[in-house]
Amino acid sequence: MAQKPKVDPHVGRLGYLQALVTEFQETESEDAKEQVLANLANFAYDPSNYQYLRQLQVLDLFLDSLSEENETLVEFAIASAIC
């Protein structure tokens, strides 16, 4: 199981989301990528997160994930698009 991103508790939601995006981009672990993308998809359901997700270009990350060979990543990307 992937560890939670190491984030200073004072950085707030934007900092936490940035840590998730960075972890997704840097990790080699497919399991970690799945967990991070699932977390980002969950954040996408809350409209108050939209400005942060847009700023961090998470929407592009979801779109890029549609072409992954890992079917779980594709499913999470599709689920986030429904939000």
Side-chain angles (χ1 to χ4, degrees), residues 1 5 7 9 12-13 17 24 27-29 39 44 57 60 66-67 69-70 74:
M1 181 170 12
V7 179
R13 189 171 296 200
L17 291 170
F24 182 85
T27 189
E28 298 291 324
S29 166
N39 286 332
Q57 298 178 335
D60 291 335
L66 292 173
S67 62
E69 289 184 21
N70 180 326
V74 173

PDB file of all heavy atoms in Angstrom, residues 1 5 7 9 12-13 17 24 27-29 39 44 57 60 66-67 69-70 74:
ATOM      1  N   MET A   1       0.845  -1.170   0.000  1.00  0.00           N
ATOM      2  CA  MET A   1       0.000   0.000   0.000  1.00  0.00           C
ATOM      3  C   MET A   1       0.895   1.239   0.000  1.00  0.00           C
ATOM      4  O   MET A   1       1.891   1.296   0.689  1.00  0.00           O
ATOM      5  CB  MET A   1      -0.914  -0.002   1.219  1.00  0.00           C
ATOM      6  CG  MET A   1      -1.812   1.184   1.213  1.00  0.00           C
ATOM      7  SD  MET A   1      -3.198   1.298   2.392  1.00  0.00           S
ATOM      8  CE  MET A   1      -3.008   0.073   3.595  1.00  0.00           C
ATOM      9  N   PRO A   5       1.213  10.995   1.111  1.00  0.00           N
ATOM     10  CA  PRO A   5       2.253  11.955   0.755  1.00  0.00           C
ATOM     11  C   PRO A   5       2.711  12.711   1.989  1.00  0.00           C
ATOM     12  O   PRO A   5       1.917  13.015   2.870  1.00  0.00           O
ATOM     13  CB  PRO A   5       1.564  12.906  -0.223  1.00  0.00           C
ATOM     14  CG  PRO A   5       0.304  12.242  -0.611  1.00  0.00           C
ATOM     15  CD  PRO A   5      -0.028  11.237   0.427  1.00  0.00           C
ATOM     16  N   VAL A   7       3.301  15.757   3.637  1.00  0.00           N
ATOM     17  CA  VAL A   7       2.885  17.138   3.438  1.00  0.00           C
ATOM     18  C   VAL A   7       2.847  17.837   4.789  1.00  0.00           C
ATOM     19  O   VAL A   7       2.331  17.280   5.758  1.00  0.00           O
ATOM     20  CB  VAL A   7       1.476  17.202   2.798  1.00  0.00           C
ATOM     21  CG1 VAL A   7       1.027  18.630   2.619  1.00  0.00           C
ATOM     22  CG2 VAL A   7       1.460  16.473   1.482  1.00  0.00           C
ATOM     23  N   PRO A   9       1.309  19.848   7.506  1.00  0.00           N
ATOM     24  CA  PRO A   9      -0.127  20.015   7.770  1.00  0.00           C
ATOM     25  C   PRO A   9      -0.616  21.452   7.597  1.00  0.00           C
ATOM     26  O   PRO A   9      -1.807  21.695   7.540  1.00  0.00           O
ATOM     27  CB  PRO A   9      -0.286  19.547   9.213  1.00  0.00           C
ATOM     28  CG  PRO A   9       1.077  19.587   9.792  1.00  0.00           C
ATOM     29  CD  PRO A   9       2.041  19.402   8.667  1.00  0.00           C
ATOM     30  N   GLY A  12      -2.338  23.187   3.566  1.00  0.00           N
ATOM     31  CA  GLY A  12      -3.714  23.253   3.118  1.00  0.00           C
ATOM     32  C   GLY A  12      -4.021  22.297   1.985  1.00  0.00           C
ATOM     33  O   GLY A  12      -3.219  21.453   1.593  1.00  0.00           O
ATOM     34  N   ARG A  13      -5.213  22.473   1.461  1.00  0.00           N
ATOM     35  CA  ARG A  13      -5.723  21.557   0.439  1.00  0.00           C
ATOM     36  C   ARG A  13      -4.907  21.622  -0.850  1.00  0.00           C
ATOM     37  O   ARG A  13      -4.616  20.599  -1.449  1.00  0.00           O
ATOM     38  CB  ARG A  13      -7.183  21.893   0.152  1.00  0.00           C
ATOM     39  CG  ARG A  13      -7.862  20.860  -0.724  1.00  0.00           C
ATOM     40  CD  ARG A  13      -9.320  21.077  -0.814  1.00  0.00           C
ATOM     41  NE  ARG A  13      -9.904  20.909   0.505  1.00  0.00           N
ATOM     42  CZ  ARG A  13     -11.167  20.655   0.746  1.00  0.00           C
ATOM     43  NH1 ARG A  13     -12.006  20.558  -0.254  1.00  0.00           N
ATOM     44  NH2 ARG A  13     -11.624  20.515   1.960  1.00  0.00           N
ATOM     45  N   LEU A  17      -3.064  18.422  -2.538  1.00  0.00           N
ATOM     46  CA  LEU A  17      -3.341  17.979  -3.904  1.00  0.00           C
ATOM     47  C   LEU A  17      -2.078  18.020  -4.754  1.00  0.00           C
ATOM     48  O   LEU A  17      -1.844  17.122  -5.575  1.00  0.00           O
ATOM     49  CB  LEU A  17      -4.449  18.828  -4.528  1.00  0.00           C
ATOM     50  CG  LEU A  17      -5.842  18.624  -3.925  1.00  0.00           C
ATOM     51  CD1 LEU A  17      -6.803  19.681  -4.440  1.00  0.00           C
ATOM     52  CD2 LEU A  17      -6.358  17.227  -4.215  1.00  0.00           C
ATOM     53  N   PHE A  24       1.966  10.937  -8.054  1.00  0.00           N
ATOM     54  CA  PHE A  24       1.501  10.209  -9.229  1.00  0.00           C
ATOM     55  C   PHE A  24       2.530  10.288 -10.346  1.00  0.00           C
ATOM     56  O   PHE A  24       2.811   9.296 -11.026  1.00  0.00           O
ATOM     57  CB  PHE A  24       0.166  10.763  -9.714  1.00  0.00           C
ATOM     58  CG  PHE A  24      -0.391  10.019 -10.885  1.00  0.00           C
ATOM     59  CD1 PHE A  24      -1.136   8.867 -10.704  1.00  0.00           C
ATOM     60  CD2 PHE A  24      -0.171  10.458 -12.187  1.00  0.00           C
ATOM     61  CE1 PHE A  24      -1.642   8.158 -11.795  1.00  0.00           C
ATOM     62  CE2 PHE A  24      -0.668   9.761 -13.276  1.00  0.00           C
ATOM     63  CZ  PHE A  24      -1.411   8.613 -13.075  1.00  0.00           C
ATOM     64  N   THR A  27       6.101   8.318  -9.071  1.00  0.00           N
ATOM     65  CA  THR A  27       6.164   6.932  -8.603  1.00  0.00           C
ATOM     66  C   THR A  27       6.285   5.951  -9.755  1.00  0.00           C
ATOM     67  O   THR A  27       5.773   6.190 -10.849  1.00  0.00           O
ATOM     68  CB  THR A  27       4.945   6.576  -7.730  1.00  0.00           C
ATOM     69  OG1 THR A  27       5.171   5.299  -7.135  1.00  0.00           O
ATOM     70  CG2 THR A  27       3.662   6.534  -8.537  1.00  0.00           C
ATOM     71  N   GLU A  28       6.964   4.855  -9.484  1.00  0.00           N
ATOM     72  CA  GLU A  28       7.077   3.761 -10.450  1.00  0.00           C
ATOM     73  C   GLU A  28       6.055   2.670 -10.134  1.00  0.00           C
ATOM     74  O   GLU A  28       5.783   1.814 -10.973  1.00  0.00           O
ATOM     75  CB  GLU A  28       8.488   3.165 -10.392  1.00  0.00           C
ATOM     76  CG  GLU A  28       9.590   4.147 -10.761  1.00  0.00           C
ATOM     77  CD  GLU A  28       9.578   4.525 -12.223  1.00  0.00           C
ATOM     78  OE1 GLU A  28       9.266   3.659 -13.052  1.00  0.00           O
ATOM     79  OE2 GLU A  28       9.887   5.680 -12.534  1.00  0.00           O
ATOM     80  N   SER A  29       5.482   2.714  -8.943  1.00  0.00           N
ATOM     81  CA  SER A  29       4.572   1.682  -8.471  1.00  0.00           C
ATOM     82  C   SER A  29       3.177   1.849  -9.083  1.00  0.00           C
ATOM     83  O   SER A  29       2.554   2.901  -8.942  1.00  0.00           O
ATOM     84  CB  SER A  29       4.464   1.750  -6.940  1.00  0.00           C
ATOM     85  OG  SER A  29       3.372   0.984  -6.478  1.00  0.00           O
ATOM     86  N   ASN A  39      -7.672   8.766  -5.233  1.00  0.00           N
ATOM     87  CA  ASN A  39      -7.819   9.897  -4.305  1.00  0.00           C
ATOM     88  C   ASN A  39      -8.146  11.180  -5.054  1.00  0.00           C
ATOM     89  O   ASN A  39      -9.021  11.948  -4.643  1.00  0.00           O
ATOM     90  CB  ASN A  39      -6.548  10.089  -3.469  1.00  0.00           C
ATOM     91  CG  ASN A  39      -6.391   9.046  -2.394  1.00  0.00           C
ATOM     92  OD1 ASN A  39      -7.372   8.501  -1.902  1.00  0.00           O
ATOM     93  ND2 ASN A  39      -5.160   8.766  -2.024  1.00  0.00           N
ATOM     94  N   ALA A  44     -12.319  15.188  -6.935  1.00  0.00           N
ATOM     95  CA  ALA A  44     -13.019  15.798  -8.072  1.00  0.00           C
ATOM     96  C   ALA A  44     -14.531  15.858  -7.861  1.00  0.00           C
ATOM     97  O   ALA A  44     -15.214  16.645  -8.508  1.00  0.00           O
ATOM     98  CB  ALA A  44     -12.698  15.040  -9.362  1.00  0.00           C
ATOM     99  N   GLN A  57      -3.695  21.175 -13.068  1.00  0.00           N
ATOM    100  CA  GLN A  57      -3.883  20.475 -14.338  1.00  0.00           C
ATOM    101  C   GLN A  57      -4.195  18.984 -14.140  1.00  0.00           C
ATOM    102  O   GLN A  57      -3.779  18.129 -14.898  1.00  0.00           O
ATOM    103  CB  GLN A  57      -2.671  20.655 -15.241  1.00  0.00           C
ATOM    104  CG  GLN A  57      -2.440  22.119 -15.588  1.00  0.00           C
ATOM    105  CD  GLN A  57      -1.237  22.346 -16.447  1.00  0.00           C
ATOM    106  OE1 GLN A  57      -0.302  21.561 -16.456  1.00  0.00           O
ATOM    107  NE2 GLN A  57      -1.247  23.448 -17.176  1.00  0.00           N
ATOM    108  N   ASP A  60      -6.026  17.283 -17.032  1.00  0.00           N
ATOM    109  CA  ASP A  60      -5.148  16.727 -18.070  1.00  0.00           C
ATOM    110  C   ASP A  60      -4.567  15.387 -17.632  1.00  0.00           C
ATOM    111  O   ASP A  60      -4.407  14.475 -18.452  1.00  0.00           O
ATOM    112  CB  ASP A  60      -4.015  17.701 -18.400  1.00  0.00           C
ATOM    113  CG  ASP A  60      -4.501  18.947 -19.108  1.00  0.00           C
ATOM    114  OD1 ASP A  60      -5.561  18.888 -19.762  1.00  0.00           O
ATOM    115  OD2 ASP A  60      -3.823  19.988 -19.013  1.00  0.00           O
ATOM    116  N   LEU A  66      -6.387   8.004 -19.547  1.00  0.00           N
ATOM    117  CA  LEU A  66      -7.288   7.213 -20.387  1.00  0.00           C
ATOM    118  C   LEU A  66      -6.531   6.326 -21.372  1.00  0.00           C
ATOM    119  O   LEU A  66      -7.062   5.324 -21.845  1.00  0.00           O
ATOM    120  CB  LEU A  66      -8.243   8.126 -21.150  1.00  0.00           C
ATOM    121  CG  LEU A  66      -9.278   8.858 -20.306  1.00  0.00           C
ATOM    122  CD1 LEU A  66     -10.043   9.847 -21.162  1.00  0.00           C
ATOM    123  CD2 LEU A  66     -10.212   7.880 -19.625  1.00  0.00           C
ATOM    124  N   SER A  67      -5.294   6.695 -21.681  1.00  0.00           N
ATOM    125  CA  SER A  67      -4.514   5.911 -22.647  1.00  0.00           C
ATOM    126  C   SER A  67      -3.533   4.945 -21.976  1.00  0.00           C
ATOM    127  O   SER A  67      -2.712   4.329 -22.655  1.00  0.00           O
ATOM    128  CB  SER A  67      -3.759   6.853 -23.590  1.00  0.00           C
ATOM    129  OG  SER A  67      -2.849   7.650 -22.863  1.00  0.00           O
ATOM    130  N   GLU A  69      -2.191   1.525 -20.149  1.00  0.00           N
ATOM    131  CA  GLU A  69      -2.471   0.095 -20.322  1.00  0.00           C
ATOM    132  C   GLU A  69      -3.148  -0.485 -19.085  1.00  0.00           C
ATOM    133  O   GLU A  69      -3.879  -1.467 -19.181  1.00  0.00           O
ATOM    134  CB  GLU A  69      -1.178  -0.655 -20.614  1.00  0.00           C
ATOM    135  CG  GLU A  69      -0.615  -0.363 -21.983  1.00  0.00           C
ATOM    136  CD  GLU A  69       0.618  -1.191 -22.294  1.00  0.00           C
ATOM    137  OE1 GLU A  69       0.813  -2.251 -21.657  1.00  0.00           O
ATOM    138  OE2 GLU A  69       1.384  -0.775 -23.151  1.00  0.00           O
ATOM    139  N   ASN A  70      -2.914   0.123 -17.946  1.00  0.00           N
ATOM    140  CA  ASN A  70      -3.500  -0.328 -16.680  1.00  0.00           C
ATOM    141  C   ASN A  70      -4.995   0.018 -16.689  1.00  0.00           C
ATOM    142  O   ASN A  70      -5.373   1.182 -16.651  1.00  0.00           O
ATOM    143  CB  ASN A  70      -2.775   0.362 -15.517  1.00  0.00           C
ATOM    144  CG  ASN A  70      -3.302  -0.031 -14.164  1.00  0.00           C
ATOM    145  OD1 ASN A  70      -4.489  -0.289 -13.986  1.00  0.00           O
ATOM    146  ND2 ASN A  70      -2.412  -0.049 -13.189  1.00  0.00           N
ATOM    147  N   VAL A  74      -7.474   3.592 -16.097  1.00  0.00           N
ATOM    148  CA  VAL A  74      -8.451   4.060 -17.088  1.00  0.00           C
ATOM    149  C   VAL A  74      -9.825   4.195 -16.434  1.00  0.00           C
ATOM    150  O   VAL A  74     -10.515   5.203 -16.629  1.00  0.00           O
ATOM    151  CB  VAL A  74      -8.508   3.106 -18.302  1.00  0.00           C
ATOM    152  CG1 VAL A  74      -9.632   3.493 -19.248  1.00  0.00           C
ATOM    153  CG2 VAL A  74      -7.166   3.092 -19.032  1.00  0.00           C
TER     154      VAL A  74
END
